[in-house]
């Protein structure tokens, strides 16, 4: 797509003085400018939504990984505690 690497912000029928220092594109007709503007802006919105969805999925995945790691560490601590308790019981089996 032509000009898909650019970010379109607005379109106007004439280049205004306050915008003359900014980069701009010129079209043969106002209608062609409007058509390209809206088609490219819609594409930019779709791309932004896709990136946002991908980032949200990555964030959820990281959160799940952290949660699983914390659960695993908690289970390992619990396992060690139970091993220590079992050893104490075995050492004092005669007294129990």
């Amino acid at each position: 797509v032509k000009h898909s690497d650019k970010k379109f912000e607005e379109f106007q029928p004439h280049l205004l003085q306050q915008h003359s220092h900014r980069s701009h594109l010129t079209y043969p007709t106002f209608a062609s400018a409007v058509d390209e503007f809206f088609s490219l802006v819609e594409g930019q919105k779709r791309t932004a939504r896709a990136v946002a969805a991908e980032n949200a999925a990555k964030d959820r995945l990281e959160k799940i990984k952290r949660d699983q790691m914390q659960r695993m560490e908690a289970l390992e601590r619990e396992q060690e505690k139970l091993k220590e308790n079992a050893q104490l019981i075995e050492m004092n089996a005669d007294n129990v």
Side-chain angles (χ1 to χ4, degrees):
V1 175
K2 191 168 99 176
H3 306 304
S4 62
D5 60 329
K6 295 178 175 42
K7 182 173 186 217
F8 283 63
E9 297 175 350
E10 65 181 341
F11 62 91
Q12 298 188 13
H14 303 286
L15 181 61
L16 300 176
Q17 186 65 36
Q18 70 250 27
H19 298 287
S20 62
H21 67 283
R22 299 170 73 184
S23 63
H24 60 278
L25 298 171
T26 306
Y27 291 88
T29 66
F30 183 68
S32 63
V34 171
D35 288 343
E36 185 161 344
F37 175 82
F38 282 111
S39 65
L40 288 174
V41 166
E42 187 60 35
Q44 290 171 349
K45 286 180 184 177
R46 277 194 305 272
T47 301
R49 283 192 299 266
V51 168
E54 183 178 343
N55 289 339
K58 285 179 182 178
D59 290 345
R60 283 192 305 272
L61 180 61
E62 282 303 314
K63 183 178 178 185
I64 290 169
K65 283 181 180 180
R66 279 193 310 273
D67 184 53
Q68 291 296 319
M69 188 62 86
Q70 289 172 348
R71 288 180 185 200
M72 189 174 74
E73 290 169 356
L75 288 172
E76 287 172 348
R77 285 192 303 272
E78 182 69 20
Q79 182 182 24
E80 284 301 314
K81 183 178 173 184
L82 291 173
K83 278 183 183 179
E84 290 172 8
N85 288 344
Q87 289 172 348
L88 289 173
I89 291 172
E90 287 176 349
M91 288 185 343
N92 295 303
D94 295 336
N95 298 335
V96 176

